[in-house]
Amino acid sequence: MPHPSTPAGEASPRANLVVGILAFAGIVVSLMQTLVIPLIPALPGLLHASAADATWAITATLLAGAVATPTMGRLGDMYGKRRMLLISLGALVVGSAIGALSDSLVPMVAGRTLQGLAAGVIPLGISIMRDELPVERLGSATALMSASLGVGGALGLPAAALLAENADWHVLFWTAAGLGLVATALVVTLVPESPVRTGGRFDVLGAAGLSVALVCLLLAISKGADWGWGSAATLGLFAAALVVLLLWGRWELRTRQPLVDLRTTARRQVLLTNIASAVFGFAMFAMSLVLPQLLQLPAATGYGLGKSMLAVGLVMAPSGLVMMALAPVSARISRTRGPKTTLMLGAVVVATGYGLGIGLMSATWHLVLVSSIIGAGIGLAYGAMPALVMGAVPVSETAAANSLNTLMRSIGTSVSSATAGLVLARLTIRFGPAELPSENGFRLVLGMGSAAALIALAVAAFLPGRARAVAEPGLEPAGALRG
């Protein structure tokens, strides 16, 4: 029953506070994606390592996040989502502290790996919301939590650039540790533990198999350009990923308590949403790869704008604010028209933004406009994805299903990074002694982003009509935290 002091249809201040805390935790975790971007050119010197080895400070976070996301989701369903949320935040704090104390490659990679293990915070937060919030508050809350993945990345870049330009680089990691501690304290104090648990035995072999497959796949994608796409190492990793995934799938179908319920995952609504999520991950990251380079390339190239890293952050920040602002809009459209419509609308907006970007590249305000339009589309689409997933899975599998959806986005961004890197490495111009990506190369990547959004639109069109939203009868939250 609603709290006596809370009118029907409204969430209590306590519920709003829980939403704010979980969204803040999601933003803190997503900051780890952009934390080291301002340091990338200087990393080899800072860590006394070669340029190829220094990239492990980025790759390690990607691999750890891919492994942790499905594992922590399943553990959250079994043993408590808040408990796993706190463990994830603890890994972030410890990893940030190690990074802050590092002056060489090995401890930095260890710290960045621990930071990556916090990637499960966003799907766990969405799952806590499903268990604890009143039905009428759930749509906008999960939309905000889902969008925090992009919000933190966009807002973190100017902050990280400002710190990197005006303070010792270790301050970046001390700041991350401090934010992680704040998030941890807020969760401990104010976020309740969900009573919804499945219990049972954790699928250790399934977790190990999926982890090996993901590491092989993402390592091949992220290092393929350095090693050579036709090299024995790259092809061997792709082959290993395929073989292990097939064996893992066979195991998951036969075991009684699998890490991922493949039969649930194969339901049309879940499967198509995950495919669309991967394609959207590709589309989202294309913007992050093109716009910063356009802004920083010398103006003498004829298309670069010659801006600083801080300026890059300020140009990208509005897209994060737009994502956050559109979370309640996304929820409203999903409630009235269905999350399928919201996802398709988001795809159209993203495709439009990239299409405009192909022609609008010559001024700073052009890129602010383009990134904001793309951010609006991502905010709409990412808000719809949890509703689609949770509308097709039982409450007992919420965290695992949301984790798999988040993982699919991450795989999409990894493929986007590798593909765009390959295009920009092939389409170059000579600028003095250096080879720089050409204007046509950037236009091609933007066109690929638009095409990816249109593919996501086509995939979403095959979702069940008027797909169930999370607030429908029989799928309502278990806890209904109201006061």
Side-chain angles (χ1 to χ4, degrees), residues 308-367:
S308 67
M309 176 58 74
L310 178 57
V312 171
L314 293 174
V315 168
M316 300 295 286
S319 68
L321 297 174
V322 171
M323 288 182 207
M324 186 181 296
L326 281 180
V329 177
S330 174
R332 191 175 304 118
I333 297 171
S334 294
R335 187 169 58 251
T336 57
R337 300 288 184 180
K340 172 183 176 179
T341 300
T342 314
L343 181 58
M344 294 178 70
L345 178 60
V348 171
V349 174
V350 170
T352 302
Y354 277 115
L356 287 173
I358 294 172
L360 297 178
M361 296 172 52
S362 58
T364 302
W365 73 267
H366 288 172
L367 302 187

Side-chain angles (χ1 to χ4, degrees), residues 76-145:
D77 282 333
M78 295 177 71
Y79 304 120
K81 303 174 185 74
R82 177 177 176 270
R83 178 181 299 175
M84 294 304 122
L85 183 67
L86 289 171
I87 290 173
S88 298
L89 289 170
L92 185 151
V93 172
V94 173
S96 299
I98 292 173
L101 296 169
S102 298
D103 285 303
S104 59
L105 182 64
V106 172
M108 175 58 74
V109 171
R112 291 286 291 163
T113 300
L114 286 170
Q115 286 182 324
L117 292 178
V121 163
I122 290 174
L124 286 168
I126 291 172
S127 303
I128 290 173
M129 289 174 177
R130 184 186 193 184
D131 292 345
E132 301 298 332
L133 294 179
V135 171
E136 63 274 4
R137 183 70 175 91
L138 187 56
S140 59
T142 56
L144 177 62
M145 190 72 192

Side-chain angles (χ1 to χ4, degrees), residues 130 267 269 334 338-340 384 386-394 464-475:
R130 184 186 193 184
R267 292 175 185 169
Q269 186 165 319
S334 294
K340 172 183 176 179
L388 286 163
V389 170
M390 291 190 293
V393 301
R466 201 67 173 87
R468 292 181 299 171
V470 290
E472 289 198 5
L475 291 167

Side-chain angles (χ1 to χ4, degrees), residues 217-228:
L217 175 64
L218 294 175
L219 194 56
I221 291 171
S222 60
K223 291 293 188 181
D226 295 332
W227 296 343

Side-chain angles (χ1 to χ4, degrees), residues 14 38 46 89 118 122 194 199 220 235 358 378 390 398 402 405 427 471:
R14 173 74 184 279
L46 295 175
L89 289 170
I122 290 174
S194 167
L235 294 177
I358 294 172
I378 292 169
M390 291 190 293
T398 301
N402 278 313
N405 184 254
L427 298 177

